[in-house]
Amino acid sequence: MSAISMKVNGKAVCGEVESRTLLVDFIRTNLGLTGTHVGCDTSQCGACVVHIGGKAVKSCTTLAVACEGADVTTIEGISKNGALHPMQQAFHEQHGLQCGFCTPGMIMASIDIVKRNGKKVSEEVIRRELSGNICRCTGYHNIVVAVQSAAEKM
Amino acid sequence: MENFNYHRPATVNAAAALLKKSKDGSYMAGGHTLLPTMKQGLAKPTDIIDLSAIKGFSGIAVSKSAVVIKAGTTHMEVATSAAVKKAIPALWEMAGKIGGVHVRNRGTIGGSIANSDPAADYPSACVGLGATIITDKRKIAADAFFTGMFQTALKAGEIITAVSFPIPKKSSHMKFPNPASRYALTGVFVSQDSAGKVRVAVTGAGPKVFRIADMEAALSKDFAASALNGIQVKAKGLNSDMHATAEYRAHLIGVLARRAVAAAK
Amino acid sequence: MTDTGIGARVLRKEDKRFITGKGQYTDDINLPHQTYAYFVRSPHAHATIKSINTAKAKKMPGVVDVFTSKEVEEDKIGGLICGWLIHSKDGSPMKAGPHPILASGKVRFVGDQVAVVIAETRAQARAAAEAVSVSYGVLPHNVDAAQAMKTKAQVHDVAADNRVYNWSIGDQAATDAAFKTAVHVTKMDLINNRLIPNAMETRAAIGSYDTGSDHYTLYTTSQNPHVARLVISAFHGLAPEHKLRVIAPDVGGGFGSKIFIYGEEVTCVWASKRIGGRPVKWTADRSEAFLSDAHGRDHVSHAELAMDAAGKIIGLKVHTIASMGAYLSTFSSCVPTYLYATLLSGQYNIPNIYAEVDAVYTNTAPVDAYRGAGRPEATYLLERIVETAARELKMDPVEFRRKNFITSFPHQTPVIFCYDAGDYGAALDKALELSDYKNFASRKAASARNGKLRGVGFSAYIEACGIAPSAAVGSLGAGVGLWESAEVRVNAVGTVEVLTGSHSHGQGHETTFAQLVSEKLGVDINNVAIVHGDTDKVQMGMGTYGSRSGAVGMTAISKALDKIEAKAKRVAAAVMEASVDDVDFKDGTFTVKGTDKKMAFGEVALASYVGHKFNSSEIEIGLKETSFHDPSNFVFPAGVHICEVEVDADTGLTKIASYTAVDDFGTIINPMIVEGQVQGGVAQGIGQALIEGAHYDRESGQLSTGSYMDYNMPRAANMPHIENFKLGFTVTKCPSNPLGMKGCGEAGAIAAPPAVINAITDAIGVRDIAMPATPLTVWQAMQPMKRAAE
């Protein structure tokens, strides 16, 4: 077991983990932040996406020990002072979620997409860049609408 | 996933020493191939030597004649580099087609090349541009680097430190993704250097990246899609699976090569 | 009405917890001292179990215990059941083989669970599972439905030819006679490809036994927790219902796959007692989900459609072989029978239909209801053969359909159903207009200029949902009744709690059900709570599947609300010293005719609890009512979907250029949610048509599409662009429920596959193409034409 410490959602956290402990397990089990989900075991569904240093990464394909000193943000950490992040608000307003399971990863990935591509991000780019996030409920239609709508407000 | 000893060395030399000392160690860059393989139980290294903390291990340098990308550079860094876009737009575009956003944020050029996945994209850029793979020990021509499926010319413990891509006159990359995995079902990278010499490199279709001499000869004479008319890629030896037969892959190589030539800039 | 009532585009109340990461799915729940289960699964498609050695595994670090069928049998835990008894046409009952919760004597598909390891951590359980040594005697296997009745691989002793039943519907003699008079007969062999549901949350369970009270609790990913409790109690014999609580918390999608009772969930709750009461938690890996969730579809059919000289359909003959997989899953037997062949009349006036269905065992995962369940298979078959017939008759497929549409209601089909209401022509007209069909030729020409082949395909579907009435389904073999329950509790302050037997796993019930309350009682939706998914809170329910929660579940709520209104009127009358007949209730206010007396709903609620102003021997204290609604008929949503595709002839890649869906769902409670259901359903239908397909290797019997590396899931880029995905609605109210509702959950998955395939065959000019029409398949289909052209 190794002791690790990092910043999660702005707070310093530490814990004891095995080398093989994945970041997602550290977040869910050690920190009890269960908003980050596991939807597959082959690194493809995107339900586990969090931000490290502001960039979207798959927490199921990242070792917790490798995040020593990292700045991690999960779905629980993007609302500020009780106000929803524009991306959260847009998913709500545009009905961009149904069962909600893929939603945290979808939102975290979408924030990264908009940050890099700007307010005028095209539908084409959004669809292409969401290729690493699978949703089985919505048919993606309202997700794309939500991302475009949030982009204008971010 | 089996447990292992985790190391995060600060230098290439320290990394090499750790690997040498380990029983059955493995280097890890972004971990996007290694960790899924370990999760499936297909790899069980005793030690993981994480290269991500090595100082000066990532970065892009563009000179008049080459784009040099350090091994730890992520696909996203390449895909968002204005300098790469200007020097070799096809390389820039290709990096933006690898995986999804999260893969590009973590996956590195060194990791991708060292793995020599037959369906990965970077090997086609390396061979298609005639790149040089630079390691802690030597320089290896891309043509000699990829030796087989998941096999390279790297010796035990050898670490890729950078890849140098000569800047071509024109180049282009066309990818037909596997509908499930999004890896290349077939991908073709075409380049023409200032002397008019052409390279056509194919990924996803065979056990490793390979070149097509007939196409290169024809295109070296006349760099136009029509120059490829009549050149039939043989299906023999190509991959065949439920997503694509060898015949289909052979056909796709022709289609993608023609499109790549037409789009080259 | 209130602005949050029926028909309002209200944003979802449940969203906040999901978008902030506060949803509570089963795997998010952890109980003190819990252990972890990991299942040992068969690597073989078909084998005898010669011996199982668990000694080494039991000694591994952290292992609490290891169980096999031996312990299951010691505790007399019953097997999994199939809840719908189908009889063959010769009158014999279906041949249901044994289905123990852990395989006994034999494994029948790759992934069949053989043993379970319980350990302190998940990693320890998994490691020890690898140390369980099973000696197998490999048997011949068959994974192919079409070969099942010919193969030597006999899956169950009870079914010598692997045939579960040979069932028929319709009048064979009359249909044969009609065919003799036919001017044209269109014949097709059609395969409905096997799919894997892939709800994004995998199945999970936590079983917990309280030694002090001899009481069990099961947290599970279920669409119908009460049915789970009933089955675990009555058939597995684990505990009587009052000693078993089943909780289905937030559930991350179901699509049918979480209706069923599976061995793993039962094992968790059983094993908890076996290990002395520590909770046992299991969460499926995605790889396990691929292997062990019930799959969908997998039909091999031959169909013949007969037309007269005027182009009127006069008869339909169908023979279908339906794979059931290796065991009969909970509702599997009714899917290719009463949910399939009864829909073969579609929207058409077909006087003679005869269908025969052979359900067969194969060495594959069990097949059961998946979004649409039987109805997509029926619609695919019918809409493919109708389209093909029109082409063979050189008739416009639109006019051919219109000519054969049912136009008067009620309409009795030759295959049981009596359609109560609809206007198929209106939906067709609206779809043609929305899709700008009249300018298709110019779009086709524009595509051609870009080197693309454009095609258009139609799908006029009907579905039957809200399976009912209970007495009728009982006579057809159903083991349960298909009603729904509701309890409405009005609190003293006038807020409302609705306890429903429906279960929401993405459908938005917390919003739509609250809208119904808002509409009927004039209460703000924020003052309404919807309680579901817990057998200790809700007395009984049948759950959510088959688009039944609106038509059946909400009708139960509506009836309970009517009772609330009636009771509240009596209270209001007493308080306002008026006759009940003089009390009106509108927009949340009780008034007395001809006076200015009025009371708000909340005031009446308070009055009913304080009891100061009425005689409690005449009017009972309190404001709480229940209702059990048993519908008098199925509901019949229908619509027309039009798909345009662009095929890249060089690569075979198909793009959905545009998609238009016009649906008649009767009364719509929340258009935003209904549109979301259509979009999601269409995505699954496009997935089936273009890219999805479960594939078992014939030689090895292994599932070749066992992960997202090989099973093609629809992604954002597979769907049409926003401006090219058009939705429209027509409304004919359903006469069999007071709200006039039908059902919307499955329409897209039902309608889309034939629309897409009709468009592709139109684009590339072939008679038929197999689903999924992947680039490879399309390219291969085009080769003969290319060779002919060369």
Side-chain angles (χ1 to χ4, degrees):
Chain A
M1 301 289 266
S2 344
I4 55 166
S5 59
M6 65 184 85
K7 209 157 90 176
V8 175
N9 299 333
K11 281 188 213 145
V13 299
C14 54
E16 288 272 318
V17 296
E18 290 184 306
S19 297
R20 64 176 162 178
T21 303
L22 298 168
L23 179 60
V24 67
D25 294 325
F26 178 69
I27 291 170
R28 285 179 58 82
T29 309
N30 295 51
L31 304 181
L33 296 171
T34 55
T36 302
H37 297 149
V38 178
C40 77
D41 47 12
T42 52
S43 304
Q44 276 163 317
C45 77
C48 69
V49 171
V50 299
H51 290 178
I52 298 180
K55 288 178 182 164
V57 303
K58 295 181 189 186
S59 61
C60 78
T61 315
T62 304
L63 297 174
V65 283
C67 297
E68 173 65 35
D71 185 359
V72 177
T73 308
T74 70
I75 187 71
E76 290 92 341
I78 58 171
S79 313
K80 290 280 177 285
N81 306 320
L84 293 174
H85 185 283
M87 192 61 75
Q88 291 172 307
Q89 187 67 29
F91 268 66
H92 173 53
E93 286 173 3
Q94 304 300 335
H95 189 33
L97 65 148
Q98 289 181 24
C99 82
F101 195 82
C102 76
T103 310
M106 218 35 110
I107 288 176
M108 298 309 280
S110 299
I111 292 172
D112 184 309
I113 292 169
V114 171
K115 274 207 267 181
R116 273 181 298 102
N117 293 283
K119 286 189 189 310
K120 297 283 173 205
V121 57
S122 71
E123 179 178 350
E124 195 75 41
V125 167
I126 294 169
R127 287 187 187 274
R128 195 172 66 225
E129 296 224 337
L130 281 176
S131 72
N133 290 79
I134 302 176
C135 168
R136 192 54 150 169
C137 292
T138 63
Y140 304 98
H141 190 90
N142 289 340
I143 291 176
V144 176
V145 174
V147 177
Q148 280 197 316
S149 148
E152 288 163 17
K153 292 166 195 147
M154 272 172 68
Chain B
M1 181 153 81
E2 302 277 320
N3 213 3
F4 48 83
N5 303 308
Y6 174 78
H7 314 273
R8 192 149 69 146
T11 66
V12 170
N13 286 344
L18 282 163
L19 190 93
K20 202 166 179 188
K21 229 167 66 184
S22 71
K23 192 172 161 211
D24 180 20
S26 177
Y27 293 128
M28 181 176 85
H32 274 52
T33 299
L34 182 63
L35 292 176
T37 315
M38 288 171 64
K39 281 205 251 177
Q40 302 261 300
L42 300 174
K44 296 176 180 175
T46 57
D47 293 71
I48 283 187
I49 296 116
D50 184 345
L51 306 177
S52 65
I54 293 175
K55 283 177 195 73
F57 203 58
S58 74
I60 299 166
V62 179
S63 69
K64 261 191 191 153
S65 59
V67 171
V68 180
I69 303 176
K70 290 190 177 172
T73 310
T74 63
H75 309 320
M76 190 62 89
E77 288 169 301
V78 177
T80 53
S81 161
V84 175
K85 185 182 183 183
K86 191 160 171 249
I88 315 179
L91 181 64
W92 174 82
E93 252 182 57
M94 189 218 72
K97 291 183 224 163
I98 303 172
V101 172
H102 347 302
V103 171
R104 293 198 287 281
N105 276 335
R106 297 292 277 192
T108 67
I109 184 169
S112 169
I113 289 171
N115 191 46
S116 185
D117 187 315
D121 296 304
Y122 260 123
S124 71
C126 291
V127 173
L129 288 165
T132 302
I133 318 298
I134 302 161
T135 76
D136 57 339
K137 304 236 161 56
R138 58 189 169 137
K139 293 181 176 179
I140 310 167
D143 286 335
F145 183 83
F146 301 99
T147 54
M149 193 188 293
F150 299 110
Q151 283 177 351
T152 67
L154 289 173
K155 299 220 166 73
E158 193 172 4
I159 301 176
I160 299 172
T161 57
V163 183
S164 176
F165 297 95
I167 296 175
K169 188 171 149 201
K170 280 181 171 181
S171 63
S172 175
H173 173 251
M174 288 288 156
K175 174 177 179 174
F176 196 83
N178 177 313
S181 70
R182 319 304 294 171
Y183 275 83
L185 194 72
T186 294
V188 176
F189 202 109
V190 174
S191 76
Q192 182 190 37
D193 68 13
S194 50
K197 205 167 151 249
V198 173
R199 282 174 168 260
V200 178
V202 179
T203 189
K208 64 171 185 119
V209 60
F210 62 93
R211 292 168 64 183
I212 301 179
D214 289 358
M215 287 188 173
E216 292 183 354
L219 291 169
S220 292
K221 279 184 206 146
D222 174 18
F223 194 75
S226 58
L228 297 175
N229 289 347
I231 298 178
Q232 295 277 349
V233 177
K234 290 200 175 60
K236 196 168 172 243
L238 297 186
N239 299 340
S240 194
D241 52 42
M242 71 183 135
H243 301 290
T245 58
E247 292 71 27
Y248 181 55
R249 281 192 166 92
H251 168 78
L252 279 181
I253 292 170
V255 172
L256 297 177
R258 282 193 295 279
R259 290 182 182 179
V261 171
K265 57 186 178 207
Chain C
M1 69 171 254
T2 58
D3 55 5
T4 54
I6 291 174
R9 199 173 266 275
V10 177
L11 297 182
R12 295 205 319 172
K13 293 177 64 182
E14 46 270 82
D15 281 356
K16 189 167 179 196
R17 66 178 187 273
F18 297 127
I19 57 180
T20 56
K22 301 292 184 189
Q24 279 280 295
Y25 301 90
T26 300
D27 189 53
D28 299 340
I29 295 164
N30 293 294
L31 301 181
H33 312 297
Q34 75 190 8
T35 61
Y36 295 82
Y38 202 89
F39 288 86
V40 177
R41 296 184 182 277
S42 169
H44 301 292
H46 199 195
T48 55
I49 301 171
K50 290 183 184 162
S51 63
I52 305 177
N53 187 342
T54 60
K56 189 179 163 204
K58 281 181 179 167
K59 286 186 206 134
M60 302 248 313
V63 171
V64 176
D65 214 332
V66 182
F67 302 125
T68 66
S69 64
K70 181 171 159 278
E71 288 77 18
V72 173
E73 284 155 18
E74 269 172 23
D75 286 357
K76 300 191 171 54
I77 301 301
L80 297 158
I81 53 134
C82 178
W84 198 305
L85 177 64
I86 301 292
H87 285 85
S88 286
K89 65 178 185 182
D90 68 6
S92 60
M94 69 183 188
K95 293 168 180 138
H99 191 182
I101 60 170
L102 292 173
S104 177
K106 205 171 154 184
V107 288
R108 295 180 171 86
F109 69 101
V110 173
D112 208 351
Q113 60 263 26
V114 176
V116 61
V117 176
I118 318 284
E120 298 294 337
T121 71
R122 195 159 188 264
Q124 287 170 334
R126 186 176 174 154
E130 284 179 26
V132 172
S133 155
V134 186
S135 169
Y136 292 102
V138 175
L139 298 169
H141 65 263
N142 168 56
V143 296
D144 186 350
Q147 297 302 316
M149 289 183 285
K150 303 172 199 163
T151 175
K152 283 187 188 138
Q154 189 186 335
V155 183
H156 286 279
D157 294 344
V158 290
D161 56 357
N162 286 323
R163 189 147 69 164
V164 182
Y165 52 73
N166 164 237
W167 175 90
S168 70
I169 191 169
D171 186 334
Q172 186 172 21
T175 307
D176 284 341
F179 268 75
K180 285 193 181 126
T181 69
V183 171
H184 183 82
V185 175
T186 297
K187 301 180 181 180
M188 295 188 89
D189 292 302
L190 293 159
I191 289 175
N192 208 286
N193 46 327
R194 179 185 274 246
L195 302 174
I196 303 180
N198 273 304
M200 290 318 296
E201 178 206 28
T202 56
R203 284 190 292 126
I206 312 173
S208 174
Y209 174 71
D210 183 332
T211 54
S213 59
D214 187 31
H215 187 281
Y216 296 84
T217 303
L218 172 64
Y219 291 87
T220 183
T221 49
S222 175
Q223 298 178 218
N224 46 351
H226 289 89
V227 177
R229 183 180 67 160
L230 174 65
V231 171
I232 293 170
S233 174
F235 295 93
H236 299 290
L238 201 64
E241 283 182 284
H242 69 292
K243 293 278 191 187
L244 172 62
R245 177 183 187 184
V246 178
I247 301 170
D250 285 331
V251 172
F255 315 111
S257 67
K258 293 171 182 168
I259 299 171
F260 322 120
I261 321 303
Y262 294 88
E264 293 92 342
E265 288 87 330
V266 181
T267 298
C268 285
V269 69
W270 161 69
S272 175
K273 181 176 185 182
R274 191 88 202 185
I275 64 167
R278 290 180 68 188
V280 176
K281 182 174 185 174
W282 168 74
T283 305
D285 293 335
R286 178 59 61 186
S287 304
E288 285 185 284
F290 270 103
L291 291 174
S292 67
D293 286 0
H295 295 180
R297 320 283 192 255
D298 205 356
H299 283 196
V300 177
S301 297
H302 176 77
E304 300 187 6
L305 190 71
M307 274 71 61
D308 69 11
K312 289 280 260 186
I313 301 169
I314 54 172
L316 173 66
K317 280 198 259 192
V318 176
H319 177 250
T320 292
I321 301 173
S323 176
M324 297 280 99
Y327 300 98
L328 294 185
S329 173
T330 317
F331 287 112
S332 58
S333 56
C334 74
V335 175
T337 49
Y338 293 109
L339 296 181
Y340 165 68
T342 50
L343 271 301
L344 285 170
S345 194
Q347 298 188 358
Y348 309 108
N349 190 352
I350 305 180
N352 303 286
I353 299 175
Y354 178 71
E356 214 168 289
V357 178
D358 287 308
V360 296
Y361 287 119
T362 58
N363 295 110
T364 61
V367 178
D368 206 325
Y370 165 61
R371 201 170 195 169
R375 291 150 292 183
E377 295 91 315
T379 302
Y380 183 71
L381 180 136
L382 189 63
E383 285 304 285
R384 285 291 296 119
I385 201 165
V386 161
E387 185 89 16
T388 306
R391 289 174 191 170
E392 287 178 353
L393 293 170
K394 307 225 178 318
M395 284 179 71
D396 180 333
V398 173
E399 292 319 310
F400 182 68
R401 283 181 171 85
R402 203 188 291 276
K403 185 190 257 300
N404 285 287
F405 273 165
I406 293 161
T407 51
S408 71
F409 297 88
H411 174 87
Q412 178 63 52
T413 73
V415 279
I416 297 184
F417 283 145
C418 183
Y419 300 167
D420 50 12
D423 186 345
Y424 307 144
L428 178 60
D429 289 340
K430 191 158 186 175
L432 290 171
E433 188 197 319
L434 264 183
S435 69
D436 187 29
Y437 179 59
K438 63 179 190 298
N439 290 313
F440 172 72
S442 69
R443 289 193 295 278
K444 188 177 172 76
S447 295
R449 286 194 292 279
N450 292 322
K452 301 280 165 50
L453 303 171
R454 197 179 187 102
V456 62
F458 297 85
S459 175
Y461 77 95
I462 188 161
E463 71 164 311
C465 38
I467 309 174
S470 295
V473 296
S475 74
L476 300 178
V480 289
L482 289 162
W483 43 265
E484 195 46 85
S485 78
E487 178 176 330
V488 176
R489 299 176 183 165
V490 179
N491 298 316
V493 293
T495 60
V496 182
E497 288 162 36
V498 176
L499 286 71
T500 170
S502 301
H503 186 278
S504 187
H505 32 279
Q507 295 87 344
H509 294 171
E510 288 168 48
T511 306
T512 48
F513 290 10
Q515 285 181 254
L516 174 62
V517 177
S518 178
E519 173 82 20
K520 294 194 70 116
L521 299 183
V523 176
D524 188 291
I525 56 165
N526 294 314
N527 289 332
V528 182
I530 306 298
V531 178
H532 68 95
D534 184 339
T535 60
D536 266 15
K537 292 180 181 166
V538 180
Q539 185 226 333
M540 188 55 177
M542 295 311 298
T544 289
Y545 41 83
S547 305
R548 67 192 304 275
S549 299
V552 190
M554 287 183 86
T555 303
I557 297 170
S558 178
K559 285 181 160 181
L561 290 168
D562 288 342
K563 292 183 187 173
I564 291 282
E565 183 183 326
K567 168 89 181 276
K569 270 185 178 167
R570 293 174 64 207
V571 173
V575 174
M576 295 191 282
E577 297 171 331
S579 154
V580 174
D581 297 339
D582 289 338
V583 175
D584 289 327
F585 180 58
K586 194 168 177 262
D587 296 339
T589 305
F590 294 87
T591 52
V592 180
K593 281 190 187 83
T595 73
D596 58 359
K597 289 183 183 175
K598 63 178 180 181
M599 282 180 85
F601 178 75
E603 293 176 285
V604 176
L606 185 63
S608 69
Y609 282 97
V610 296
H612 296 164
K613 300 279 182 65
F614 56 87
N615 183 345
S616 61
S617 63
E618 286 170 13
I619 301 173
E620 241 180 66
I621 298 283
L623 197 49
K624 180 180 117 169
E625 298 289 350
T626 60
S627 171
F628 282 72
H629 172 62
D630 193 24
S632 59
N633 194 359
F634 282 68
V635 297
F636 299 99
V640 173
H641 289 204
I642 302 177
C643 178
E644 286 186 26
V645 299
E646 259 193 346
V647 177
D648 178 342
D650 285 338
T651 62
L653 183 69
T654 301
K655 196 179 117 195
I656 304 293
S658 72
Y659 197 96
T660 304
V662 174
D663 300 287
D664 179 355
F665 299 138
T667 303
I668 288 175
I669 306 294
N670 184 328
M672 177 191 81
I673 285 177
V674 169
E675 286 163 12
Q677 288 291 315
V678 175
Q679 288 154 354
V682 167
Q684 289 180 7
I686 288 175
Q688 171 167 28
L690 287 187
I691 55 177
E692 287 185 49
H695 181 264
Y696 281 93
D697 183 69
R698 278 190 189 204
E699 294 299 312
S700 66
Q702 300 291 324
L703 179 67
S704 342
T705 50
S707 81
Y708 293 140
M709 289 295 280
D710 288 307
Y711 189 89
N712 303 341
M713 287 287 279
R715 319 273 175 136
N718 293 110
M719 297 299 294
H721 270 220
I722 291 164
E723 73 276 12
N724 298 328
F725 194 173
K726 295 171 191 140
L727 304 184
F729 299 100
T730 57
V731 178
T732 59
K733 291 201 176 183
C734 172
S736 70
N737 65 67
L739 300 168
M741 296 179 70
K742 298 180 184 178
C744 66
E746 298 156 295
I750 291 170
V756 174
I757 297 297
N758 286 339
I760 294 175
T761 51
D762 179 52
I764 67 174
V766 297
R767 188 172 189 268
D768 191 23
I769 191 164
M771 294 195 289
T774 62
L776 171 66
T777 308
V778 172
W779 179 76
Q780 285 175 330
M782 294 178 72
Q783 292 317 296
M785 288 177 289
K786 280 188 184 153
R787 278 195 289 273
E790 275 160 13

